[in-house]
Amino acid sequence: MRNLLEFLAKFNHWFVFLALEVISMVLLFQYNNYQGSVWFSTANATAGKMLSWSAEVESFFSLSNVNEELTQRNLYLERQVKSLSDKLTETTRDSSWMRRDKLEVLKDFKLIPAKVVSNSLNRHDNLITINKGTADGVTRDMGVACGTGVVGIVYLASQHYSVVIPVLNTKSNISCQIRGRRYFGYLNWDGHNSKRAFIDDIPRHAHFKLYDLVETSGYSSVFPPGIAVGKILHVYNSVDGLSYRLEVELSTDFAKLRDVCVIDNKPMQEQLDVLRAAQDSLKTKESN
């Protein structure tokens, strides 16, 4: 307390000076219209600038949620475009009930947003780690996609994290088709260019052209049909000469991959189970 009193006594003239300055400023701006208007304008401009900075900071930290929403929305739109495209190409019969059914499935489709916490590009067996696991509903063999296309398939899932085998893994094998052509094959990576992959087993009688789009075929319980894969750049003959091998430019940029969605494949699995049961029933009737 004594030190405080000594400090105040030593610098009392400065405190008096500051107090008088404050009083004079108040009197100046309060009783003079011009100075008051200048003060008001300056204060408003300063407050507006501070609020603008605050909004920008808040917007920056909310970009993560925005990216997640955009990723999910892009996947939904991809599926809708696929459904509408199929409806336009099927001109020989009325398939509107099929398209309505697809849109109903799409409406109930569950996507689990996740973030990439670890990713590699320079190995033959690259792996991706995401920050969602069994506690969030992620299980093994679920498909993973981002707003621009296919990413990979869940290989292992712990409580809060999962390991994904991406397209950029030599063990990856994803069923794909040429959009609008209904020819399908299997997407594989040769371990070299992170922007290119290959589709094998395209039949020799298939009709297509360069830069045709490639998408998931929906012939498995992992991915629904219509998720973008890439576009055709080159066509080669297979080793045995019985089919084509397509070089595809991938639509997903794995070097910039941040936000992804895990696809809950329960609805697709149920549909495939029903389809297999119907096929088995037909086979049984034919054998009898």
Side-chain angles (χ1 to χ4, degrees):
M1 187 65 181
R2 180 178 178 182
N3 292 335
L4 178 60
L5 293 175
E6 290 179 353
F7 175 79
L8 293 175
K10 183 176 181 180
F11 297 100
N12 64 88
H13 54 284
W14 287 108
F15 292 113
V16 173
F17 171 75
L18 290 175
L20 293 175
E21 283 291 321
V22 170
I23 293 171
S24 63
M25 294 294 287
V26 170
L27 294 174
L28 175 66
F29 293 123
Q30 186 172 359
Y31 295 103
N32 294 275
N33 292 332
Y34 175 74
Q35 286 82 357
S37 64
V38 171
W39 166 257
F40 183 77
S41 299
T42 305
N44 277 350
T46 303
K49 195 65 175 178
M50 295 298 293
L51 290 174
S52 176
W53 289 343
S54 175
E56 289 178 2
V57 171
E58 185 178 349
S59 175
F60 175 80
F61 285 106
S62 67
L63 285 178
S64 176
N65 294 330
V66 172
N67 284 337
E68 290 180 0
E69 293 174 2
L70 288 176
T71 300
Q72 295 184 58
R73 186 59 183 165
N74 282 343
L75 287 174
Y76 283 127
L77 291 175
E78 282 285 344
R79 292 292 312 282
Q80 289 181 352
V81 169
K82 166 63 178 172
S83 295
L84 293 173
S85 177
D86 287 348
K87 187 173 181 179
L88 289 173
T89 56
E90 294 179 1
T91 57
T92 59
R93 61 189 176 90
D94 182 10
S95 57
S96 59
W97 66 273
M98 293 178 65
R99 302 285 74 77
R100 286 195 297 268
D101 181 63
K102 281 190 176 183
L103 291 177
E104 285 298 318
V105 173
L106 176 64
K107 183 181 68 174
D108 298 329
F109 208 68
K110 182 180 179 182
L111 299 175
I112 304 171
K115 289 190 176 298
V116 173
V117 296
S118 176
N119 186 14
S120 63
L121 299 174
N122 56 357
R123 304 173 184 173
H124 281 78
D125 297 325
N126 294 299
L127 295 173
I128 293 174
T129 303
I130 59 176
N131 66 343
K132 293 295 174 69
T134 55
D136 308 288
V138 179
T139 59
R140 181 171 178 167
D141 293 331
M142 283 186 173
V144 181
C146 65
T148 56
V150 167
V151 173
I153 300 173
V154 175
Y155 175 62
L156 292 173
S158 63
Q159 187 173 5
H160 298 294
Y161 293 91
S162 298
V163 176
V164 177
I165 293 181
V167 172
L168 303 185
N169 186 305
T170 54
K171 295 183 176 65
S172 176
N173 193 32
I174 297 173
S175 177
C176 301
Q177 67 181 4
I178 302 173
R179 179 172 292 178
R181 307 286 185 176
R182 299 190 178 280
Y183 300 115
F184 74 94
Y186 295 92
L187 183 71
N188 298 283
W189 188 55
D190 64 354
H192 295 96
N193 193 333
S194 64
K195 296 182 179 180
R196 308 283 175 86
F198 294 88
I199 297 180
D200 296 310
D201 299 331
I202 297 295
R204 297 284 296 185
H205 62 270
H207 297 285
F208 56 86
K209 59 182 182 296
L210 294 181
Y211 307 112
D212 273 354
L213 299 179
V214 178
E215 62 190 12
T216 54
S217 65
Y219 293 151
S220 72
S221 62
V222 179
F223 291 102
I227 296 180
V229 173
K231 62 182 178 181
I232 301 172
L233 291 184
H234 299 287
V235 181
Y236 305 97
N237 288 321
S238 62
V239 177
D240 56 14
L242 299 178
S243 60
Y244 289 124
R245 190 179 205 219
L246 310 182
E247 184 177 1
V248 175
E249 182 181 23
L250 298 173
S251 59
T252 299
D253 188 348
F254 286 87
K256 298 180 180 179
L257 193 62
R258 296 294 179 270
D259 294 280
V260 298
C261 283
V262 182
I263 302 172
D264 189 343
N265 57 7
K266 291 184 180 65
M268 288 182 291
Q269 186 63 54
E270 291 174 0
Q271 291 179 31
L272 289 174
D273 290 342
V274 171
L275 180 60
R276 293 191 186 102
Q279 291 174 343
D280 293 340
S281 176
L282 289 174
K283 290 179 182 178
T284 302
K285 288 181 180 179
E286 290 175 356
S287 62
N288 292 336

